[in-house]
Amino acid sequence: MKIDDLGHPGQLVDPETGLVSRRIFTDPDIHRLELTRVFARSWLCVGHDSELPKAGDYLRRVMGDDPVILARGQDGALRVFLNACPHRGALLCRADAGNAMGYVCPYHGWSFDNAGQLTAMADAPEAYKGRVDLGTFNLVQARVGVHAGLIFATFDPQAPSLDEYLGDARWYIDMLFARTPGGAQALGAPIRWVAHKNWKYGAVNFAADGPHALKTHGPITRKIAGGMPLDVLRDLAIEGPAVRAGNGHGCIFVDLPPGMPPWVGFHPDMVALYQKTLTPGQLQLKSKLFNKVMTIFPNLSWVHFPITFRPDQPPVNFFNVRVWQPTGPDRTEIWNWFFADREAPDEYKQASLQAGIRTFTAAGTFDQDDAEAWAAIDAGSRGTIGRERMSSFQMILASQDERIADFPGPGEAYRSTYSEMSEFGLLLRWRELMAA
C-alpha cells in the first residue's frame, strides 16, 4: 500500500494550515500502514527496569501489534524477543509475568533459554542431517535501550540510537524518572483496559492539549485544586509553556497557583535529593510545578500533579505513566502504571498510588472524562461525511512565532499550553514517517 492511495501526506496533516484529516483517526488502511511505518520503525517503551529486579524475570508486553517478551537474562542483561516460536510461530509465553530459565513452545516443545538461544527441539539435532542451520531458530530479538530506567525496544536495524531518538526529551524524562539517585520505581503491574478510540487521540492529548483540561475536567480540577476559581486555573494554563522536544516528543508545564509554596505535593525528604540530582534549570521548573504532561513519540505518555480529596490532608503528587497500544483504528488498549521515587517513604508511595487510581485509571475521574470526549470525537468523525472533514490545530498559526527565548530547558518552548504547538509536533512527526 502506498501513502498516495490514502491521500498525500500534505493533505492528511498539513503543516502550513494546521488542518488534519480525520481519516488518520478512523481509516483502517491508515491504521494498518502506520503499524509498519510508525510503530515498526520507532523506539517503543516496553517497561521499566524496576519491574524486573531479578535474573530470570520476564514480562509479556506488546510492540505495535506484535507480542513480545521482556526478559532479564541470567547475565543480568535486558532483552526483548518476539513472543513467537521460530519453528511454526506459536505464542511462547502466555503468562503476564514470572521468573524462568527459559521458554518452551506448547506445540512441539522447542525450548529456548532466557537469552533467546535454542536449547531443545522435538527431535535430536542430528535428525536434520546437517541440512538446516539451527542457529536461525534462536528467538527473534529486538534492539534494546534504557534511559532513566525506561526500557525501549525496536525491531528496526536502521533506527537511530535511543539517545539520538530521545534527544532533548531526555532532559524532561530525567526531571521525573531520574530526579533522585535511586530513580523511579513502578508501584505494581500495569492496569490495562480497552478504550473506544484511536491511539493518537491519547498521545496527542498528552503531548499536550491545554484547553481541554478546564472544560472536560473543570469541576474535578477545581476540587482537587482546593476550590480555586476556574478563571485563575485558566490563566495558569494559558501562561504555561508548551515544548517541542524534537522527533515528535512534546510536553506542557503548568505552574503552581499564586500563593502556594514551592514543592507542593512532594515529600519533604525528597526535596534535598532533587536539589542534589537535578540541574538548576530542572529545579527551577520542578519547584513551582503544578502539572506536567508529556508524550514520547509515538505512544508513551505521563501526567504528574498534586491532588487532595480532603481539606484536612495536604496534596500528594501522583505520577501516572501509560502506553497507548494500537489495537485497531477505533480501539486502544491502555497500559497504565504509577511511579514514585525509590527513596520515598512507603506511606507516601501508598498515598500517591491511591491518588492516581482515583483519577487516572478506567474508573478514575479524569480518565472517565477523557474516555467520553474521545468516544464522542470518534462517533462524530467516523461517518461518510464526518471522516472527510478536517480537524483544526490552527492555533499554531497564531503561536509559532511566540518562542520563549529564556526557557531553562532544551527544545522549542512556546508561550502557552493553548498554543497547540507541542501536540501538533507529534502529528508532524507522524506525517514524516508515514510519507517515508
Side-chain angles (χ1 to χ4, degrees), residues 206-337:
F206 277 61
D209 186 287
H212 91 285
L214 298 183
K215 180 61 178 176
T216 304
H217 306 305
I220 186 63
T221 298
R222 187 168 182 268
K223 179 176 178 59
I224 64 175
M228 188 166 297
L230 285 180
D231 60 341
V232 175
L233 293 172
R234 179 179 179 274
D235 289 345
L236 289 171
I238 288 177
E239 294 167 5
V243 180
R244 285 185 180 179
N247 291 332
H249 317 314
C251 62
I252 61 172
F253 292 85
V254 177
D255 285 350
L256 288 167
M260 280 195 174
W263 303 110
V264 168
F266 294 99
H267 193 279
D269 292 349
M270 296 296 100
V271 174
L273 294 179
Y274 303 154
Q275 293 170 335
K276 174 183 177 182
T277 308
L278 297 176
T279 68
Q282 290 169 326
L283 286 170
Q284 178 184 334
L285 292 173
K286 182 168 284 296
S287 64
K288 59 182 181 180
L289 181 65
F290 180 59
N291 185 14
K292 181 176 185 289
V293 191
M294 185 165 195
T295 292
I296 299 297
F297 186 89
N299 65 331
L300 169 65
S301 300
W302 56 79
V303 56
H304 179 288
F305 65 85
I307 282 183
T308 181
F309 292 97
R310 291 174 50 180
D312 61 333
Q313 290 183 343
V316 60
N317 280 307
F318 77 88
F319 180 16
N320 171 232
V321 179
R322 56 183 53 190
V323 172
W324 315 95
Q325 304 288 9
T327 56
D330 61 348
R331 291 289 187 278
T332 300
E333 185 173 43
I334 300 170
W335 290 53
N336 198 68
W337 292 259

Side-chain angles (χ1 to χ4, degrees), residues 17-208:
T17 65
L19 294 174
V20 176
S21 170
R22 293 176 187 169
R23 294 171 65 198
I24 78 168
F25 302 105
T26 61
D27 193 306
D29 290 334
I30 291 177
H31 172 74
R32 283 190 289 269
L33 189 61
E34 69 186 2
L35 289 171
T36 301
R37 297 278 179 90
V38 175
F39 285 90
R41 297 164 64 185
S42 297
W43 283 93
L44 305 177
C45 183
V46 292
H48 189 267
D49 66 2
S50 63
E51 297 183 276
L52 302 99
K54 298 180 295 184
D57 284 349
Y58 67 85
L59 300 166
R60 191 158 61 105
R61 295 290 154 91
V62 178
M63 293 175 61
D65 59 348
D66 284 300
V68 298
I69 303 168
L70 168 59
R72 189 180 294 278
Q74 299 309 117
D75 58 357
L78 292 164
R79 298 180 177 88
V80 171
F81 308 111
L82 184 66
N83 190 3
C85 180
H87 180 222
R88 297 285 179 85
L91 200 67
L92 275 176
C93 182
R94 303 189 181 194
D96 285 341
N99 186 281
M101 297 287 289
Y103 316 101
V104 180
C105 177
Y107 192 25
H108 291 104
W110 286 44
S111 301
F112 309 84
D113 64 22
N114 57 22
Q117 301 298 302
L118 176 66
T119 57
M121 299 173 294
D123 205 341
E126 293 75 21
Y128 283 94
K129 299 181 179 179
R131 298 173 182 175
V132 176
D133 180 5
L134 298 179
T136 64
F137 287 100
N138 295 325
L139 295 184
V140 177
Q141 189 165 336
R143 295 167 60 192
V144 174
V146 181
H147 183 81
L150 289 168
I151 306 167
F152 295 85
T154 181
F155 283 105
D156 183 4
Q158 304 303 317
S161 69
L162 178 62
D163 280 349
E164 183 180 350
Y165 181 85
L166 294 176
D168 287 340
R170 292 173 295 176
W171 194 89
Y172 300 97
I173 292 172
D174 291 348
M175 282 185 65
L176 294 181
F177 290 92
R179 61 193 182 189
T180 68
Q185 173 187 9
L187 302 179
I191 303 166
R192 295 156 51 184
W193 70 94
V194 174
H196 187 106
K197 70 177 190 70
N198 185 273
W199 68 272
K200 292 186 287 299
Y201 290 141
V204 168
N205 189 80
F206 277 61

